[in-house]
Amino acid sequence: MSRIKQAKPETQFFPKSLMEKLACIKRYPLTLVEAPSGFGKTTALRHFFDTQVSQATPVCWHTFSADRPSASWKAFCGLIEGFDPESASCLLEAGPPDEDTLPMIQNILYRLRCTQETYMVIDDFAVWNLPVSSEFLMALSSHGGKELHVAVATQLLSGEEHNRIMQSCRFCLLQESVLAFSKADIEAYYRQAGVSISRVQLEEVAEITEGWVMALYLQMLSLIESGKFETGGMESLMRNALWDKLPRKEKDFLLSISIFPRFSLSQAAVLSGMSRTEAEKLLKGKRVFVHFDKENRQFYLHSLFQSFLKEQFSLLPEERQKDIYHAGGALAEQAGDRVNTLRFYYLSGAWENILSMPLTSFEIADIADENTKPMILDILDNTPFEIKRKYPAAIVPFTFTLFFLHENQKLLSMQEEIHNIIEQSNLPQEGKDALEGEMEFLLSFLEYNRIDAMSARHRRALQLLKGPATLINIKSTWTFGSPSVLYMFYRESGKLEEELIQMDECMPVYYALTGGHGSGAETVMRAEAYFMRGELDEAEILCHKAMFTADSKRQNSIYQCGLFLLARIAILRKDKVMLQSSMESMEERSRQNTEDLCRYTLDLAKSYLNLLLGNKENLPAWLAEGHINDKRLVIMTQPFAYIIYGRILLERGEYLKLVGVCQYLLGISSIFPNLLPQIYGNIYLAQAFHATGKQAEAASALAKALFIALPDSIFIPFAENWEGIKELLPATYGIEGKENLERIEMLSQLLKDSLDSICPPKLTLTPREKEIIELIKQGLSNKEIAAALYVSLSTVKTLLSRIYAKTGVSSKTQLVMLDL
């Protein structure tokens, strides 16, 4: 029979064996504490650091919540910043961990420095929902901070994730068996809480809880209240032992705060109707279920309790749910929490509150993703016309979000309705004109990449607005992640010069609308056109002009296009210094531009250049494997990536695969269209067909490339592929194209000479020749080498002569000094 005198159920108990196990945190670079929710991971870690680590030792702690991945990554980098700001900055620039960024992140973490004993705690790691969670943990365990010890608390990882975690002397794994209470622990815990249980009761509670501390706590409450333990699952236990015993006021309060992933004391006070002191006392009284994040000064619910409350919340009458969401929306709005403001107002049905908010298009776009897309579409579709008419200024930026969500047809279908909303609104005519101007500007994006059509809308927008539009943030990228402006807007064969003139005439109108967004774009495009014709001086002059123009308005995406072009010019000029400077500057500029659209711009530019330079090993895995998709690149930029991937397949000799890829490339590059991918695609097809003996198809493909390119004197793509097409060119183009062919051949020879100068052919030694060099380095004579290799002395001398010829030296002494 249990004896309960002065029960203290909120007593915390930490088994000695658990604290001893957690001590491994001090010895390992990374300790992973993995167990289901309710095993007390967070509480145990808090106690460990409070009692087992000196208060003078830094302990940085972050508990993940259901934030956007970028926000979670920023929080993680913030932990690093406390002891290594430089690495934190590099990590932030690299972007959240995924299969593309992980190698870079691993490299940064390996170079990380921490010279003072420091602990970093990552709590609720599973909530982060990383696509490469196990790989990230392994990279984190390899960090270079000698005095840094990382503790990661997480719910159970999947079996597949476990398989990817390798045993390591830098990695300690603590699982639920370490956290589970033994019978002796249970007895001591209950006794310390003022509850003495019999041997039979100890056996019973140990069996039904399996040492799960949350279950032990709830069973203790049940024993105190009813004198017996509960049966059933966790939900039943939580309801019977805790929930049903709470006063109505506390239930209402907990249901209200359950909609928040995290909440402040002020928000808790408003929702509860209590003073801050009363609310804080209530929350601390539920400390088993309510945690406090000291770093952010916010409360959050234990995940098991939050799940339970979510179920209870769903049982409330619909009107009560809406009242709670509406109150939550007001509090989120006061706190500047745009995501939850929109979500709570939406769920409360108070859509008018959403439309009355002074949100800009880029603020809405910042929270628009696949998760919020149904909500935004629902608001646009089903908000009553009268409310839309009341808030016309909100409809245009909300509609702009459709462009980012790839809902262009939906955007077009709403055009007439938006016109009616504006026309029937109570705005003065000047205000109506301004909104019509914003709408014209928005619709111009749907005309991409028709320069004249886009500009017609820009001129109409400027006429109506009589000043800058509000839809565009000048800090955003202009190029959709492309490293080339010519690639974006060269769309009609024989009309490149006309398109360049259009850009010269149209961009000033766009600049007037946007405050200089994209400054320098028209100059870069003309510079690229000169380069394509092999007119390098003119190209370089305009390139520098464009870069100065871009920098005057901080248009980093245009500046990067200039750097990419400078690097290509440098290759043709044999200018190693300019090439290296351009590539280093591209790296630096990429770090400054962390927009999602520009995340892969550097990969595209560097891969193009490295393939040209023969550095096939320096290619990002996603591009080398052809993983070109919407996750990485918008549809406007994908064809540029296929130009690179096609070259990769060509270098590998995967001709049949190349044919399929090029056919796909020609399809997607005709959407807007983009002519450069069509030129390259047909050049690749010609080489693939030629290599597989299909000469008629090869000639036809090359003829198509020439037909597109030569009216605009686009020579460089052919020069870059000269060796693969030179046999086909005379037969394909005939005598009348002699001047063009000579120009292409001249540029190809210039490129070949430049590449030979910048990148001398790599020395290729046979395995036997490498063996001889190694033996020479060991000091062996020719005779000793012959004996060691079981060959004749004359064979050794013959092989040595070949080595001298390949390396350009004439003695063993010189040979030993070479770095081979």
Side-chain angles (χ1 to χ4, degrees):
M1 179 68 70
S2 62
R3 295 194 306 277
I4 304 170
K5 297 180 180 179
Q6 290 184 327
K8 298 172 287 184
E10 302 305 318
T11 295
Q12 291 185 328
F13 177 81
F14 302 96
K16 182 180 178 182
S17 61
L18 172 57
M19 290 298 106
E20 289 173 347
K21 290 286 187 181
L22 289 177
C24 72
I25 293 171
K26 294 184 174 185
R27 301 191 300 271
Y28 282 84
L30 185 140
T31 300
L32 179 65
V33 184
E34 181 203 24
S37 183
F39 267 84
K41 301 181 292 294
T42 300
T43 307
L45 285 169
R46 288 281 185 194
H47 183 72
F48 173 80
F49 286 109
D50 286 343
T51 61
Q52 307 298 312
V53 174
S54 167
Q55 290 187 353
T57 302
V59 178
C60 48
W61 188 301
H62 180 73
T63 302
F64 286 105
S65 58
D67 292 323
R68 293 163 66 87
S70 57
S72 297
W73 181 239
K74 186 176 181 181
F76 173 80
C77 295
L79 299 180
I80 304 287
E81 188 176 18
F83 51 86
D84 189 345
E86 184 178 348
S87 293
S89 177
C90 292
L91 288 167
L92 192 61
E93 290 156 3
D98 59 28
E99 59 185 301
D100 300 331
T101 61
L102 193 63
M104 187 187 308
I105 290 170
Q106 185 170 12
N107 192 30
I108 296 168
L109 290 172
Y110 185 76
R111 300 195 311 267
L112 186 145
R113 293 293 173 262
C114 181
T115 56
Q116 175 190 359
E117 183 183 8
T118 302
Y119 294 90
M120 185 168 77
V121 186
I122 301 174
D123 198 7
D124 267 359
F125 174 74
V127 176
W128 198 357
N129 200 25
L130 285 180
V132 288
S133 56
S134 52
E135 292 89 344
F136 175 72
L137 288 174
M138 291 308 301
L140 187 54
S141 73
S142 299
H143 67 75
K146 290 183 179 179
E147 296 298 325
L148 175 65
H149 305 278
V150 183
V152 178
T154 183
Q155 293 189 33
L156 294 178
L157 301 175
S158 68
E160 185 179 344
E161 288 171 322
H162 267 288
N163 291 338
R164 292 197 292 265
I165 293 176
M166 296 175 287
Q167 294 298 318
S168 166
C169 61
R170 303 182 61 83
F171 195 110
C172 179
L173 177 61
L174 301 179
Q175 295 181 289
E176 59 189 87
S177 59
V178 173
L179 293 153
F181 280 31
S182 66
K183 291 177 184 177
D185 295 332
I186 296 170
E187 187 174 28
Y189 169 38
Y190 276 34
R191 187 186 312 113
Q192 188 169 307
V195 177
S196 179
I197 55 176
S198 68
R199 178 57 55 187
V200 172
Q201 288 174 318
L202 177 59
E203 294 288 341
E204 181 186 2
V205 76
E207 182 178 351
I208 60 179
T209 64
E210 296 181 339
W212 191 2
V213 68
M214 178 70 78
L216 287 168
Y217 167 75
L218 291 168
Q219 290 291 5
M220 184 195 298
L221 294 183
S222 178
L223 186 64
I224 293 170
E225 181 69 27
S226 65
K228 62 179 183 180
F229 295 123
E230 287 284 342
T231 57
M234 178 57 76
E235 184 180 342
S236 172
L237 180 58
M238 201 171 287
R239 179 184 296 106
N240 296 333
L242 175 70
W243 185 249
D244 289 347
K245 309 295 189 296
L246 293 177
R248 169 54 55 189
K249 186 176 182 180
E250 288 190 23
K251 286 183 178 180
D252 290 343
F253 167 55
L254 291 169
L255 287 171
S256 296
I257 63 171
S258 70
I259 66 173
F260 281 91
R262 289 166 179 263
F263 54 91
S264 67
L265 181 57
S266 297
Q267 289 173 328
V270 172
L271 286 169
S272 66
M274 305 175 186
S275 67
R276 287 170 60 94
T277 303
E278 289 175 313
E280 185 173 21
K281 182 179 179 181
L282 190 155
L283 291 169
K284 287 186 174 179
K286 299 288 182 293
R287 64 181 178 182
V288 174
F289 297 104
V290 182
H291 297 310
F292 182 63
D293 185 340
K294 291 187 288 187
E295 286 69 31
N296 296 311
R297 308 294 300 169
Q298 287 186 314
F299 294 91
Y300 62 98
L301 301 176
H302 190 285
S303 56
L304 279 175
F305 194 44
Q306 182 119 35
S307 297
F308 175 81
L309 290 175
K310 183 178 180 180
E311 179 63 29
Q312 300 308 306
F313 186 90
S314 69
L315 301 176
L316 292 174
E318 184 178 350
E319 283 308 309
R320 175 61 182 144
Q321 291 184 36
K322 287 185 174 182
D323 287 344
I324 292 172
Y325 278 128
H326 191 273
L331 289 173
E333 185 176 4
Q334 290 172 16
D337 180 356
R338 292 197 298 268
V339 174
N340 282 321
T341 300
L342 262 67
R343 187 167 71 89
F344 293 158
Y345 279 151
Y346 171 73
L347 292 171
S348 73
W351 296 2
E352 186 169 357
N353 289 72
I354 295 174
L355 297 184
S356 67
M357 293 168 63
L359 289 173
T360 64
S361 60
F362 35 91
E363 285 174 330
I364 298 173
D366 188 47
I367 60 174
D369 55 24
E370 289 304 311
N371 294 322
T372 58
K373 181 176 179 176
M375 175 180 73
I376 290 169
L377 290 175
D378 196 14
I379 290 170
L380 287 171
D381 278 342
N382 297 314
T383 299
F385 183 85
E386 282 306 307
I387 295 179
K388 291 179 179 177
R389 188 175 71 83
K390 189 176 177 181
Y391 301 101
I395 295 299
V396 175
F398 258 98
T399 308
F400 188 55
T401 307
L402 296 175
F403 180 74
F404 291 99
L405 295 174
H406 311 296
E407 289 285 340
N408 292 352
Q409 289 304 313
K410 177 68 179 173
L411 198 163
L412 285 170
S413 71
M414 292 190 65
Q415 189 175 350
E416 184 177 350
E417 182 191 8
I418 293 170
H419 174 75
N420 291 334
I421 289 168
I422 295 170
E423 190 59 36
Q424 296 179 38
S425 71
N426 294 324
L427 290 172
Q429 190 58 46
E430 185 179 351
K432 292 179 180 180
D433 287 346
L435 285 183
E436 290 283 7
E438 297 280 4
M439 196 62 196
E440 280 292 320
F441 185 48
L442 167 55
L443 292 171
S444 75
F445 287 92
L446 301 186
E447 304 286 0
Y448 177 86
N449 57 351
R450 294 169 53 208
I451 302 168
D452 52 348
M454 293 182 77
S455 190
R457 290 199 180 273
H458 293 161
R459 293 170 197 278
R460 172 71 176 150
L462 189 59
Q463 183 182 14
L464 289 165
L465 280 162
K466 297 180 174 61
T470 62
L471 289 177
I472 286 292
N473 183 350
I474 194 170
K475 295 179 181 178
S476 63
T477 182
W478 190 86
T479 62
F480 296 110
S482 165
S484 164
V485 177
L486 182 71
Y487 156 81
M488 297 170 67
F489 288 101
Y490 175 37
R491 57 171 283 131
E492 195 167 351
S493 178
K495 294 192 175 180
L496 176 55
E497 194 58 40
E498 183 180 329
E499 289 166 346
L500 293 171
I501 292 170
Q502 286 178 347
M503 286 288 283
D504 289 340
E505 293 173 347
C506 297
M507 287 306 293
V509 179
Y510 180 81
Y511 297 151
L513 268 176
T514 61
H517 185 235
S519 288
E522 74 277 26
T523 313
V524 165
M525 183 172 172
R526 188 172 288 276
E528 290 182 274
Y530 276 124
F531 173 78
M532 285 292 177
R533 296 165 184 159
E535 299 174 26
L536 302 186
D537 288 348
E538 293 82 354
E540 185 175 348
I541 290 169
L542 285 178
C543 191
H544 288 297
K545 177 184 176 182
M547 290 163 66
F548 277 109
T549 305
D551 242 12
S552 71
K553 294 292 184 180
R554 298 186 180 181
Q555 296 302 291
N556 204 31
S557 61
I558 302 299
Y559 197 94
Q560 284 178 300
C561 289
L563 288 170
F564 178 51
L565 180 55
L566 270 187
R568 297 175 74 185
I569 293 170
I571 291 173
L572 280 175
R573 289 195 184 282
K574 307 180 186 179
D575 191 335
K576 292 183 182 180
V577 174
M578 188 164 85
L579 175 60
Q580 183 176 352
S581 173
S582 299
M583 294 187 76
E584 288 175 355
S585 294
M586 275 193 284
E587 296 261 9
E588 179 58 33
R589 289 285 173 156
S590 180
R591 283 195 285 268
Q592 294 174 21
N593 195 345
T594 56
E595 268 196 82
D596 284 347
L597 283 177
C598 288
R599 188 171 163 192
Y600 295 96
T601 306
L602 181 65
D603 280 354
L604 294 175
K606 285 184 63 178
S607 297
Y608 192 103
L609 295 169
N610 277 321
L611 276 172
L612 205 56
L613 294 166
N615 301 328
K616 302 175 203 173
E617 66 279 1
N618 293 333
L619 302 175
W622 71 271
L623 198 45
E625 294 162 12
H627 295 162
I628 301 164
N629 49 42
D630 293 340
K631 186 184 83 170
R632 296 181 172 92
L633 301 170
V634 293
I635 189 64
M636 297 86 145
T637 310
Q638 288 178 25
F640 192 95
Y642 277 105
I643 292 175
I644 299 166
Y645 184 53
R647 182 63 175 260
I648 292 170
L649 294 178
L650 191 62
E651 298 275 355
R652 291 178 186 162
E654 297 183 36
Y655 299 119
L656 297 182
K657 186 173 184 179
L658 176 59
V659 171
V661 166
C662 286
Q663 289 173 349
Y664 177 77
L665 167 59
L666 296 177
I668 63 169
S669 65
S670 64
I671 294 172
F672 291 111
N674 305 111
L675 289 192
L676 283 182
Q678 293 184 34
I679 294 169
Y680 277 98
N682 277 300
I683 291 173
Y684 295 156
L685 276 175
Q687 294 173 84
F689 285 136
H690 181 55
T692 53
K694 298 179 179 179
Q695 302 309 320
E697 290 91 338
S700 175
L702 187 55
K704 288 177 185 176
L706 291 163
F707 180 79
I708 296 170
L710 292 189
D712 298 302
S713 300
I714 301 295
F715 301 131
I716 289 294
F718 301 95
E720 290 175 347
N721 290 273
W722 176 256
E723 289 301 318
I725 63 173
K726 63 183 180 182
E727 293 179 18
L728 296 167
L729 271 170
T732 303
Y733 205 57
I735 191 68
E736 67 275 13
K738 183 179 179 183
E739 185 179 333
N740 284 331
L741 298 188
E742 288 175 350
R743 183 70 175 163
I744 291 170
E745 185 173 7
M746 183 275 291
L747 287 171
S748 71
Q749 189 60 47
L750 177 63
L751 179 60
K752 181 180 183 303
D753 292 344
S754 298
L755 292 174
D756 287 345
S757 173
I758 294 173
C759 314
K762 292 184 179 179
L763 188 62
T764 54
L765 297 168
T766 66
R768 177 65 76 180
E769 290 167 346
K770 290 177 182 177
E771 280 184 294
I772 289 176
I773 292 173
E774 188 57 39
L775 293 172
I776 289 172
K777 287 182 178 180
Q778 294 174 22
L780 273 65
S781 66
N782 288 359
K783 187 176 181 179
E784 290 170 329
I785 293 172
L789 299 179
Y790 301 100
V791 297
S792 68
L793 182 60
S794 62
T795 299
V796 171
K797 289 179 179 179
T798 301
L799 290 170
L800 196 53
S801 296
R802 290 180 189 171
I803 294 169
Y804 288 158
K806 286 184 178 182
T807 58
V809 301
S810 58
S811 70
K812 289 182 180 179
T813 304
Q814 292 174 327
L815 188 62
V816 169
M817 293 175 66
L818 292 177
D819 184 17
L820 298 174

